[in-house]
Amino acid sequence: MSITCRSYGFTKEGAAVIAFTLSNANGLQAEIINYGGIITKLSVPDKKGDFDDITLGFDNLDGYLKGHPYFGAIVGRYANRIEDAQFELNGKIYELYKNIGDDHLHGGLKGFDKAVWIAETVQSGGDESLQLTYRSVDGEEGYPGNLDIKVTYFLSKDNELIIDYFAVSDSDTVVNLTNHAYFNLCGHEAGDISGHEVMIDADSFTAVSSKNIPTGEIRKVEGTPMDLRVLKPLAAGLSSAYEQIIKGDGYDHNWVLNTAGDISQKAAEVYERTTGRILEVYTTKPGIQLYTGNFLDEMGPCKEGAAYKKREGFCLETQYFPNSMKHKHFPSPILKSGQVYTHKTIYKFKTIKVS
Ligand code: GLA
């Protein structure tokens, strides 16, 4: 694996943004910028060996600075929603920014997706990885504790984009980090994704309220469109009248993974028949949010002139469950002072070869 870098412009505050291109021996490439840790390009082969950029985004920094629905970004301090934009920890109430109705989404007004991270390339055993670090200070967006975060991106010879997250805090806090890449396995500008087939290894999911926040109910997928235990085209579920699909305006839910943090087991898979591209997801976290781009709405001009519309990209966000500090039976997102938050997620790309 090798890494090259180039200037990607400057933020309004004058901070230099650098783009790093990670390449492996098979020709896969991932471009990542230190603004938001955003994956700006991901070039992978199809069954004929032709490469396409399969992640949604912009051509330049300006697009990202103008605001966007978390394309490719690292999301934190707490991914997804926190109800009423507040939580209690050690008997104290912490008030957060309300950026989705009266609730808090993806870390607030200026989450980690808008931070300028310190970037360096790190050598280990002849391989290079990209290391991003950021200090989220005590009180930033309302969260307690100075939190030091390190995220590394590595592209393996087995066509895996491996993301490792670490964080430590000097006082008790909550942490839920993820990556919000939008994929379209036909190519970022290829349109509707409802022909993609999805598998999520989960017997249950966290049912949501009309505000799209888990109510605490862990519901069996059996007999519902949330049952993705074997590969199924998204179209079937997306067109169903199941109340959870109506509430999310499509899939925008957290599944309770049967893999339960066992990274040796495949948590999710997406197969796109016409290109033969396959994306597999492995993670140490207990949940995964499948979001089918329900709120993408004429996002343009984007990369190469694309104007992404509803359902033209999907996300698989590995995570603790949304709002999990409010439900004692959900895995706890509390990070105690001095303890280390760790999270590894692997996005593995494969193809079904034509014979
Ligand atoms: C997540 C949320 C969605 C939406 C998108 C970004 O996936 O669950 O509701 O906020 O991010 O638009």
Side-chain angles (χ1 to χ4, degrees):
M1 221 269 292
S2 68
I3 302 183
T4 58
C5 63
R6 67 185 171 102
S7 169
Y8 203 72
F10 292 86
T11 64
K12 289 184 193 80
E13 295 76 28
V17 178
I18 311 289
F20 296 85
T21 301
L22 285 55
S23 312
N24 76 2
N26 310 319
L28 273 79
Q29 286 197 325
E31 184 186 72
I32 293 152
I33 58 174
N34 65 321
Y35 176 77
I38 294 172
I39 302 168
T40 52
K41 283 183 198 161
L42 194 50
S43 179
V44 304
D46 68 5
K47 62 186 175 188
K48 296 186 200 137
D50 294 335
F51 284 76
D52 276 306
D53 179 359
I54 52 120
T55 190
L56 279 56
F58 298 96
D59 284 321
N60 53 46
L61 185 58
D62 268 2
Y64 293 103
L65 294 179
K66 279 183 192 144
H68 62 104
Y70 307 92
F71 285 150
I74 298 171
V75 175
R77 189 179 293 204
Y78 197 95
N80 214 281
R81 290 166 176 75
I82 297 179
E83 191 161 23
D84 300 328
Q86 61 165 40
F87 66 95
E88 188 187 328
L89 183 62
N90 300 336
K92 195 170 163 204
I93 305 280
Y94 292 92
E95 302 282 349
L96 307 170
Y97 190 77
K98 297 179 179 174
N99 57 334
I100 186 150
D102 282 337
D103 306 311
H104 177 84
L105 176 70
H106 292 327
L109 187 61
K110 187 171 184 264
F112 296 175
D113 58 296
K114 297 179 189 72
V116 178
W117 296 65
I118 296 168
E120 56 188 307
T121 54
V122 181
Q123 299 273 354
S124 130
D127 272 321
E128 271 188 312
S129 56
L130 174 65
Q131 179 179 292
L132 301 175
T133 53
Y134 176 64
R135 166 165 271 216
S136 169
V137 295
D138 184 22
E140 184 177 289
E141 294 294 328
Y143 292 98
N146 289 303
L147 185 74
D148 286 301
I149 312 116
K150 182 170 88 181
V151 177
T152 64
Y153 284 103
F154 178 69
L155 195 56
S156 79
K157 61 178 177 15
D158 298 322
N159 298 348
E160 302 158 312
L161 179 64
I162 304 176
I163 312 178
D164 274 293
Y165 308 79
F166 305 89
V168 287
S169 176
D170 60 5
S171 53
D172 295 359
T173 190
V174 293
V175 180
N176 189 22
L177 305 177
T178 194
N179 182 281
H180 206 296
Y182 289 70
F183 301 101
N184 185 328
L185 297 185
C186 295
H188 74 93
E189 77 301 24
D192 189 52
I193 45 100
S194 50
H196 286 54
E197 295 167 44
V198 175
M199 181 287 290
I200 299 180
D201 183 7
D203 294 335
S204 47
F205 71 103
T206 51
V208 294
S209 67
S210 52
K211 294 201 296 178
N212 225 2
I213 299 183
T215 57
E217 179 192 351
I218 293 184
R219 192 182 295 180
K220 293 279 177 212
V221 296
E222 183 89 52
T224 79
M226 314 307 277
D227 190 349
L228 300 174
R229 289 175 292 184
V230 293
L231 278 175
K232 244 188 229 169
L234 285 170
L238 288 173
S239 60
S240 105
Y242 184 56
E243 56 70 43
Q244 288 288 309
I245 296 284
I246 303 291
K247 283 185 175 127
D249 197 15
Y251 289 113
D252 190 0
H253 299 79
N254 170 72
W255 273 257
V256 178
L257 291 170
N258 292 337
T259 55
D262 178 357
I263 196 151
S264 68
Q265 306 294 315
K266 183 167 58 186
E269 177 173 337
V270 183
Y271 172 49
E272 201 292 308
R273 207 165 276 273
T274 63
T275 58
R277 288 195 179 102
I278 297 168
L279 164 61
E280 295 180 345
V281 185
Y282 300 81
T283 185
T284 56
K285 285 294 152 213
I288 200 163
Q289 186 92 5
L290 167 63
Y291 170 57
T292 45
N294 312 324
F295 310 126
L296 282 174
D297 188 17
E298 296 289 352
M299 282 291 308
C302 298
K303 222 188 270 186
E304 298 171 323
Y308 309 125
K309 297 193 289 296
K310 184 171 179 173
R311 308 267 160 74
E312 295 196 343
F314 68 89
C315 305
L316 284 166
E317 302 152 60
T318 52
Q319 59 183 4
Y320 282 122
F321 307 167
N323 203 32
S324 53
M325 67 288 279
K326 308 283 175 68
H327 301 291
K328 296 285 173 256
H329 58 298
F330 286 1
S332 172
I334 294 170
L335 178 68
K336 295 268 187 207
S337 164
Q339 285 183 348
V340 184
Y341 166 96
T342 57
H343 169 181
K344 184 190 278 290
T345 285
I346 300 174
Y347 293 108
K348 181 169 185 153
F349 297 95
K350 292 181 169 176
T351 53
I352 292 189
K353 292 270 183 223
V354 267
S355 47

